Amino acid sequence: MFLASDNTSGVPEQVLAALGRVNDGFSLGYGADDLMQQVQAKIRTLFEAPDAAVFLVATGTSANSLAIATYVQPWSAVYCHRHAHIEEDECNAPEFYSNAKLSLLDGDHAKIDAQALETTLTNAAEGVHHVQPGLLSLTNLTERGARYTVAEVTRLAAIAKAKGLPVHMDGARFANALVAEGCTPAEMTWKAGVDVLSFGGTKNGLLGVEAVIFFDPAKAWEFELRRKRGGHLFSKHRFLSAQMDAYLTDDLWLDLARTANARAEALEAGLTKAGVRLLHPRGGNMLFAEFPLKAHDALRAAGAVYYDWPAPPPQGAGGDHPHQCRLVASWSTTEADIARFIEVLTAAL
Amino acid sequence: MFLASDNTSGVPEQVLAALGRVNDGFSLGYGADDLMQQVQAKIRTLFEAPDAAVFLVATGTSANSLAIATYVQPWSAVYCHRHAHIEEDECNAPEFYSNAKLSLLDGDHAKIDAQALETTLTNAAEGVHHVQPGLLSLTNLTERGARYTVAEVTRLAAIAKAKGLPVHMDGARFANALVAEGCTPAEMTWKAGVDVLSFGGTKNGLLGVEAVIFFDPAKAWEFELRRKRGGHLFSKHRFLSAQMDAYLTDDLWLDLARTANARAEALEAGLTKAGVRLLHPRGGNMLFAEFPLKAHDALRAAGAVYYDWPAPPPQGAGGDHPHQCRLVASWSTTEADIARFIEVLTAAL
Amino acid sequence: MFLASDNTSGVPEQVLAALGRVNDGFSLGYGADDLMQQVQAKIRTLFEAPDAAVFLVATGTSANSLAIATYVQPWSAVYCHRHAHIEEDECNAPEFYSNAKLSLLDGDHAKIDAQALETTLTNAAEGVHHVQPGLLSLTNLTERGARYTVAEVTRLAAIAKAKGLPVHMDGARFANALVAEGCTPAEMTWKAGVDVLSFGGTKNGLLGVEAVIFFDPAKAWEFELRRKRGGHLFSKHRFLSAQMDAYLTDDLWLDLARTANARAEALEAGLTKAGVRLLHPRGGNMLFAEFPLKAHDALRAAGAVYYDWPAPPPQGAGGDHPHQCRLVASWSTTEADIARFIEVLTAAL
Amino acid sequence: MFLASDNTSGVPEQVLAALGRVNDGFSLGYGADDLMQQVQAKIRTLFEAPDAAVFLVATGTSANSLAIATYVQPWSAVYCHRHAHIEEDECNAPEFYSNAKLSLLDGDHAKIDAQALETTLTNAAEGVHHVQPGLLSLTNLTERGARYTVAEVTRLAAIAKAKGLPVHMDGARFANALVAEGCTPAEMTWKAGVDVLSFGGTKNGLLGVEAVIFFDPAKAWEFELRRKRGGHLFSKHRFLSAQMDAYLTDDLWLDLARTANARAEALEAGLTKAGVRLLHPRGGNMLFAEFPLKAHDALRAAGAVYYDWPAPPPQGAGGDHPHQCRLVASWSTTEADIARFIEVLTAAL
């Protein structure tokens, strides 16, 4: 019952096997490996974007920070949700890479409200004293587990583009959003107005690989220089390529996300049946729930691992204290885990 | 006959096996995995440094840049050799992370000349108009394949410390230097005055892991924040820990370096016997050689892969043109490769 | 009727005369002029702070940015009001100098609400993924013309210091706040918990000089290096010293502020009598008012100059549209100007 | 006998008078003052550059750093002389503003050797591991008092432009170079290939103003944002405009430079007659000389002020020790000062 984060899972055997296969012999480094060509070709096909430029890095923070930095200036405002990962969980990395200012927007479930974006952009002060509108960054799934629909991405991107802003999508959980939405990768991204995507792999079954996909390749060389300057260019790059290649082979990435989402769906059903209040609509594989502290105690005693969210219970809180938590399913979460979780919870209520 | 770089090799089976072993089950991320505790303990023992703080990153550039940035200020001078990796091959990453200025020193074979360092530090202008002396960075092996002896490290570090400067060692090829020098890790580092070491793993058989070792743990928390802010903190950190743990088990890292050095030694012997001029003394697993272009042509025709160094031959150069190259052996270079290389070369001369 | 900003005024004759006096002969540059010693001594006496380190720069943005940068780290959060000058009007300069993140707090009249600060600091996430609490910055007068009382500064600073945070005061209009509050410079600053003050001169009658005052001199040398590195160290520094010296002589700075405040007070009285709504309580020399567009039209026609605030009137707005503006009095605003302004306004209502 | 630096002088009466004139009344700030339009017009005429964009800042370091930053990227190499002011005397400000790397070139008298530039650019490594060629920066006069001729500027700029690099000129002593060279401002700059000029005023008689002149206005807006973000945009900008306007009126700037150069010429003649060795050819108003320590002692005793250069005499050096110094004449150096200096020196030899 390990529901702390999808990044606490390991990787499926196909990914490990790919590392073994690519290990033989010598290979040029720094992205010049043959397999990287194949990865780029696969992603272009997958996204129906024959000109896309594709790069691999090993962490989500670097993917986001480098992607954003490539599109903005040090005097830019990057518009994102108040609870975006780039704002709350990256220790200033986006600012480090871009020197820009994150300008925070509101909206339920960590989804940017379209009206808030419109108002903010309309009221953005012009002139040299102020940061200049720079980029819109959307996180899908959001940090509260909700999902932007294709229509919502399209609308937000249209508002941004009407002001000349490029659009970035932090897709650390892109696969989970995609399979839940039931659309194509192109529909969720460039067809909806996204210019650059952080295409997550790590949370969905890789050891540590994210792709940065530029639908317009004009920024490719600048990205390459930024990646190197950030220390994010791997010498033995083939080991990143191999992971991403395995991920894209035979729809592995979609299967992994479907499994994670199915587990979260089962969890949601169980929680609902048990009368537990869910704090945000489930967009994919992540839930936020509130239930009495005594049930948390029972779950922890039974070995469940997950985060108190947003904070630990107050000292001396009684068993009936309504306490909130985050529950994340991954590709390796089992049906048995979910069943047991619900069983323990239900018994404790 | 792949002698382009030690980072064009794969990894030994022990390392792959370790990835498989650590893959089972769930594990807390971001360095909180149990294996990381074990790695730190092993490195402390190995370096006879019970208080050392140990961190893992995936690239040499990030290891160097983060280690240096943790010790200097934006108005500091970082003293390094004119041909240091941090100066020539990291696309401004050290400056990106530290904002400091690299101040370049001379010396044969990419080794800093002690007198040059002494003179530079003595003459360093004081006052607010000038960068302030900040840190000495040594690369061992050097970028020309030479090796600082323990005595040389000690002398240079003493000069730096007399001015209050900390000392960093870029040990991307630390293992190669160590086994060639025949000293202990402690003797090469903190006993000689090194404060922080980039302990290379990638060039010597890992997929992509370097340890940053602070012999004084006072800087640990700042390093952690810098690592995260740089996007270099891995969520599935266990896969870095597993590599480093395998590396340190049963002296694997030393065996790998001994093999690489032995291949280079055999290559050196063959080249010397063939009358080839070596440009720098061999410190470990890397050679720089000059021989007629026709021999290069023959080698390339036979499948040899290596870099022209420092530059391609001039257009229209004839077969007798003395042309220079870099040859790097790795743990996976075979005796047969070396023999064949010498055979082809000798035949062509 | 020029009420656009206090920085649209010139300087009093004493300041110009001081430039003339200091112009004779040669003088060492870069702050080594004799007059700077005198300025530091005067400020130490004035603030009852015999150890204070005092530096001069020419712009408020540089004063704030350098002062803050000296106290924080690139992974710090700087807590300030959502409508602080450092957030809204400095084009990312604080972030440029400090690399830190501005974390925005609410409160009426651009004054930070103590409870909001307390809650934010209490809830600040720990751990390496998040920016670390760094510094509290207060603006007095605020950007909405209100004033923190000594008691309020003391309370906010106490909350910050309980978490170990230093406190910066942006005193671009420090003199206006001080004479309105009727306290001593020490009471408004270090006695209330302020560690570093941007002591404004430009808005209150200098050509372009602000002092940065560190009540604890430990940060002095770092500040000097940051000032030089930012290009803010003047070679002919005596011309900054002379301005500040004249400012502090015979209480000129207090007289100038008293005049500006008195003009604003008269304006406030006239507006109130005319039934005009004031949007924020007057803390010193700045007012925000709402009255019908037809009165604005009449004022502009009569030559009044001031800013629409926060935005121009909507297109097609009628004469009765309630429109908002900012009105700033300076040391050079005349009684006649104020009287005429009220006269025109009253006639138009 | 104050020959320490031209920035230890005051300003001529015309400049002070201009401050007084512009002081009357109210004026919009931040460069929107009417006088700034006049300054731009005058500079455009003077440089025969009707499209030039002109900006004022208060320090040479900010002029250079902002000008360079506007033309390069964080992964750029800025080519300058090893003894350029931007390398030696600005405490990393160019790197702070640009994040680029200064790449140092050799040449006599602090003038970049054309062959050295050509070779460096030809050999500049391509590829993502290396900084990319970014900009050539020339200092005229150089930091050793020599002068680039128009032909030399033209040749160096041509080499840079053949590689696609823009050219910056640090003209802190531009006027001194210009009147010595006897050419037009256009000939020394854009006609010779200079793209952006730091047009010095402070060393040649202003309180603290430098113009940054972009001969191609495409970079204007970026510069404005960088200036603001650096805290270098003055609110009471009219006081900068007034200085520069006075400077350009009735050829004041040229007269001031002619005077300084004439004093240096007289000094040179006297030194030569006294048998003193000059270390660099005089390009304008600055000399470097070597003569016995006893003569230095006599001069200091007589009240002469100047810098030992490059370093103080060794401890215990005798009166015959040949000691080196820098001697800088300014617009306010008198003939009597020079005569007295030579008299004392000659008597002591």
Side-chain angles (χ1 to χ4, degrees), chain C residues 40-118:
Chain C
Q40 176 160 288
K42 282 186 178 176
I43 286 181
R44 286 173 167 177
T45 301
L46 188 62
F47 281 83
E48 307 166 48
D51 296 324
V54 179
F55 302 101
L56 303 182
V57 293
T59 68
T61 296
S62 63
N64 288 334
S65 297
L66 289 166
I68 290 170
T70 302
Y71 270 105
V72 301
Q73 296 291 339
W75 44 85
S76 294
V78 170
Y79 299 98
C80 65
H81 194 277
R82 183 173 308 288
H83 296 305
H85 196 270
I86 60 172
E87 164 64 12
E88 291 202 327
D89 287 289
E90 298 187 348
C91 195
N92 257 10
E95 290 95 332
F96 176 43
Y97 280 90
S98 71
N99 304 133
K101 182 192 284 280
L102 301 199
S103 186
L104 308 182
L105 298 169
D106 289 307
D108 293 339
H109 315 307
K111 292 166 67 176
I112 294 173
D113 179 74
Q115 189 55 53
L117 176 63
E118 181 95 52

Side-chain angles (χ1 to χ4, degrees), chain A:
Chain A
M1 295 191 290
F2 212 98
L3 300 167
S5 177
D6 28 15
N7 65 34
T8 58
S9 292
V11 309
E13 61 186 13
Q14 297 95 317
V15 173
L16 278 185
L19 293 180
R21 276 199 307 279
V22 83
N23 187 42
D24 290 339
F26 295 88
S27 170
L28 284 177
Y30 304 110
D33 53 295
D34 297 338
L35 204 47
M36 184 58 210
Q37 292 305 309
Q38 191 169 314
V39 165
Q40 177 161 285
K42 282 186 177 176
I43 285 181
R44 286 172 167 176
T45 300
L46 188 63
F47 281 84
E48 307 165 49
D51 296 325
V54 180
F55 302 101
L56 302 183
V57 292
T59 67
T61 295
S62 63
N64 287 334
S65 297
L66 288 165
I68 290 171
T70 302
Y71 269 105
V72 301
Q73 296 292 339
W75 44 85
S76 294
V78 170
Y79 299 99
C80 65
H81 194 278
R82 184 173 307 288
H83 296 305
H85 196 271
I86 59 171
E87 164 65 12
E88 292 201 326
D89 287 289
E90 298 186 349
C91 195
N92 258 9
E95 290 94 332
F96 176 44
Y97 280 90
S98 71
N99 304 134
K101 183 192 283 282
L102 301 199
S103 185
L104 308 182
L105 298 169
D106 289 307
D108 293 339
H109 315 307
K111 292 166 68 175
I112 294 173
D113 179 73
Q115 189 55 54
L117 176 63
E118 181 95 50
T119 302
T120 295
L121 291 181
T122 300
N123 293 346
E126 296 182 346
V128 79
H129 301 278
H130 316 293
V131 291
Q132 307 291 308
L135 174 140
L136 172 65
S137 179
L138 305 174
T139 314
N140 208 11
L141 303 183
T142 76
E143 294 298 294
R144 294 297 176 268
R147 185 175 76 248
Y148 288 104
T149 64
V150 168
E152 288 169 335
V153 173
T154 303
R155 181 170 175 208
L156 289 163
I159 294 169
K161 288 191 168 326
K163 307 287 181 180
L165 303 192
V167 180
H168 164 252
M169 181 174 281
D170 173 359
R173 294 187 179 96
F174 182 80
N176 303 96
L178 195 80
V179 300
E181 183 72 5
C183 66
T184 68
E187 287 166 350
M188 181 62 93
T189 56
W190 65 267
K191 289 186 176 176
V194 172
D195 296 282
V196 59
L197 171 69
S198 299
F199 177 65
T202 310
K203 285 189 162 75
N204 191 36
L206 299 185
L207 296 89
V209 179
E210 317 278 306
V212 178
I213 305 174
F214 291 89
F215 297 106
D216 173 351
K219 296 285 189 182
W221 179 233
E222 176 171 337
F223 181 88
E224 286 204 61
L225 289 159
R226 288 188 178 276
R227 179 176 58 168
K228 172 66 196 180
R229 175 174 170 261
H232 290 289
L233 177 58
F234 273 58
S235 56
K236 295 183 176 175
H237 187 280
R238 59 171 137 172
F239 294 112
L240 301 191
S241 305
Q243 291 180 60
M244 185 53 72
D245 189 63
Y247 190 63
L248 299 174
T249 297
D250 296 335
D251 287 346
L252 174 61
W253 70 295
L254 297 172
D255 290 343
L256 295 170
R258 281 187 196 108
T259 300
N261 286 8
R263 297 295 173 270
E265 188 179 9
L267 182 60
E268 183 184 29
L271 291 168
T272 303
K273 190 172 168 195
V276 165
R277 185 164 84 93
L278 297 176
L279 306 172
H280 304 287
R282 184 181 62 82
N285 65 321
M286 186 154 59
L287 291 166
F288 292 77
E290 178 185 292
F291 49 86
L293 191 51
K294 63 187 173 192
H296 290 278
D297 291 341
L299 283 161
R300 258 78 187 239
V305 180
Y306 54 85
Y307 286 111
D308 297 320
W309 200 282
Q315 279 202 320
D320 290 331
H321 174 76
H323 180 57
Q324 302 185 342
C325 68
R326 189 186 78 162
L327 303 168
V328 191
S330 84
W331 69 272
S332 66
T333 305
T334 62
E335 294 184 332
D337 275 340
I338 300 297
R340 173 85 179 126
F341 188 96
I342 295 299
E343 181 184 14
V344 173
L345 170 75
T346 305
L349 288 177

Side-chain angles (χ1 to χ4, degrees), chain A residues 127-129, chain C residues 2 4 7-8 305 307, chain D residues 22 26-40 54-56 221 224 227 232-242:
Chain A
V128 79
H129 301 278
Chain C
F2 212 98
N7 66 32
T8 59
V305 179
Y307 287 110
Chain D
V22 84
F26 295 87
S27 169
L28 285 177
Y30 304 111
D33 53 294
D34 297 337
L35 206 46
M36 184 57 210
Q37 291 305 309
Q38 191 169 315
V39 165
Q40 177 160 287
V54 179
F55 302 101
L56 302 183
W221 179 234
E224 286 203 63
R227 179 176 58 168
H232 290 289
L233 177 58
F234 273 58
S235 56
K236 295 184 177 174
H237 186 280
R238 58 173 139 173
F239 294 112
L240 301 190
S241 305

Side-chain angles (χ1 to χ4, degrees), chain D residues 68-232:
Chain D
I68 290 170
T70 303
Y71 269 105
V72 302
Q73 297 291 340
W75 43 86
S76 294
V78 169
Y79 300 98
C80 66
H81 194 278
R82 183 174 309 288
H83 296 305
H85 195 271
I86 59 171
E87 164 65 12
E88 292 201 327
D89 287 290
E90 298 186 349
C91 195
N92 257 10
E95 290 94 333
F96 175 44
Y97 280 89
S98 71
N99 303 133
K101 184 193 282 282
L102 301 198
S103 186
L104 308 182
L105 299 169
D106 289 305
D108 294 338
H109 315 308
K111 292 167 67 175
I112 294 173
D113 179 75
Q115 189 54 54
L117 175 63
E118 181 95 53
T119 302
T120 295
L121 291 181
T122 300
N123 293 346
E126 297 182 347
V128 80
H129 301 279
H130 316 292
V131 290
Q132 308 291 307
L135 174 141
L136 172 64
S137 178
L138 305 173
T139 314
N140 208 13
L141 303 180
T142 76
E143 293 299 294
R144 295 297 176 267
R147 186 175 74 247
Y148 287 106
T149 64
V150 168
E152 288 168 337
V153 173
T154 303
R155 183 172 173 206
L156 289 162
I159 294 169
K161 289 190 169 323
K163 306 288 180 180
L165 302 193
V167 179
H168 165 252
M169 181 173 283
D170 173 359
R173 295 186 178 96
F174 183 79
N176 304 97
L178 195 81
V179 300
E181 183 72 4
C183 66
T184 68
E187 287 167 350
M188 182 62 93
T189 57
W190 65 267
K191 289 187 175 175
V194 172
D195 297 282
V196 59
L197 171 68
S198 299
F199 177 64
T202 310
K203 285 188 162 75
N204 192 35
L206 299 184
L207 294 91
V209 179
E210 318 277 306
V212 178
I213 306 172
F214 290 90
F215 296 106
D216 172 352
K219 296 285 189 181
W221 179 234
E222 176 171 338
F223 181 87
E224 286 203 63
L225 288 159
R226 288 189 178 275
R227 179 176 58 168
K228 172 66 196 179
R229 176 174 170 259
H232 290 289

Side-chain angles (χ1 to χ4, degrees), chain C:
Chain C
M1 293 192 290
F2 212 98
L3 299 167
S5 176
D6 29 14
N7 66 32
T8 59
S9 291
V11 309
E13 60 186 14
Q14 296 95 317
V15 173
L16 278 185
L19 293 180
R21 276 199 307 278
V22 83
N23 187 42
D24 289 338
F26 295 87
S27 169
L28 284 178
Y30 303 111
D33 53 295
D34 298 336
L35 205 46
M36 184 58 208
Q37 291 305 310
Q38 190 169 316
V39 165
Q40 176 160 288
K42 282 186 178 176
I43 286 181
R44 286 173 167 177
T45 301
L46 188 62
F47 281 83
E48 307 166 48
D51 296 324
V54 179
F55 302 101
L56 303 182
V57 293
T59 68
T61 296
S62 63
N64 288 334
S65 297
L66 289 166
I68 290 170
T70 302
Y71 270 105
V72 301
Q73 296 291 339
W75 44 85
S76 294
V78 170
Y79 299 98
C80 65
H81 194 277
R82 183 173 308 288
H83 296 305
H85 196 270
I86 60 172
E87 164 64 12
E88 291 202 327
D89 287 289
E90 298 187 348
C91 195
N92 257 10
E95 290 95 332
F96 176 43
Y97 280 90
S98 71
N99 304 133
K101 182 192 284 280
L102 301 199
S103 186
L104 308 182
L105 298 169
D106 289 307
D108 293 339
H109 315 307
K111 292 166 67 176
I112 294 173
D113 179 74
Q115 189 55 53
L117 176 63
E118 181 95 52
T119 303
T120 295
L121 291 182
T122 300
N123 293 347
E126 297 183 346
V128 79
H129 300 278
H130 317 292
V131 291
Q132 307 291 308
L135 174 140
L136 172 66
S137 179
L138 305 174
T139 314
N140 207 12
L141 300 184
T142 77
E143 294 299 292
R144 294 298 177 266
R147 185 175 76 248
Y148 288 105
T149 64
V150 169
E152 289 169 336
V153 173
T154 303
R155 182 172 175 205
L156 289 163
I159 295 170
K161 288 191 169 322
K163 306 288 182 180
L165 302 193
V167 179
H168 165 252
M169 181 174 282
D170 173 359
R173 294 187 178 95
F174 182 79
N176 303 97
L178 195 80
V179 300
E181 184 71 5
C183 64
T184 68
E187 286 166 351
M188 182 62 95
T189 56
W190 66 267
K191 289 186 175 176
V194 172
D195 296 283
V196 60
L197 171 68
S198 299
F199 178 64
T202 310
K203 285 189 162 75
N204 192 35
L206 299 185
L207 295 91
V209 179
E210 316 276 308
V212 179
I213 305 174
F214 290 90
F215 296 106
D216 172 352
K219 295 285 191 182
W221 179 233
E222 176 170 337
F223 182 87
E224 286 203 63
L225 289 159
R226 288 188 179 275
R227 178 175 60 168
K228 172 65 195 181
R229 176 175 171 258
H232 290 290
L233 177 58
F234 273 58
S235 56
K236 294 183 177 175
H237 187 280
R238 59 172 138 174
F239 294 114
L240 300 190
S241 306
Q243 292 180 59
M244 185 53 73
D245 189 61
Y247 191 62
L248 298 174
T249 298
D250 297 334
D251 286 346
L252 175 60
W253 69 295
L254 296 173
D255 290 342
L256 296 170
R258 280 186 197 110
T259 300
N261 285 10
R263 298 295 173 269
E265 187 178 10
L267 182 59
E268 184 184 30
L271 291 168
T272 303
K273 190 172 168 193
V276 164
R277 186 164 84 92
L278 297 176
L279 307 172
H280 303 287
R282 183 182 62 83
N285 65 321
M286 188 155 57
L287 293 166
F288 292 77
E290 178 184 292
F291 48 86
L293 190 51
K294 62 187 173 194
H296 290 279
D297 292 340
L299 283 162
R300 257 80 185 237
V305 179
Y306 55 85
Y307 287 110
D308 297 321
W309 201 283
Q315 280 203 321
D320 290 330
H321 174 76
H323 180 58
Q324 303 184 341
C325 67
R326 189 186 78 161
L327 304 167
V328 192
S330 83
W331 69 272
S332 65
T333 305
T334 62
E335 293 183 333
D337 274 342
I338 300 297
R340 173 84 178 128
F341 188 96
I342 295 298
E343 181 185 15
V344 173
L345 170 75
T346 306
L349 289 177

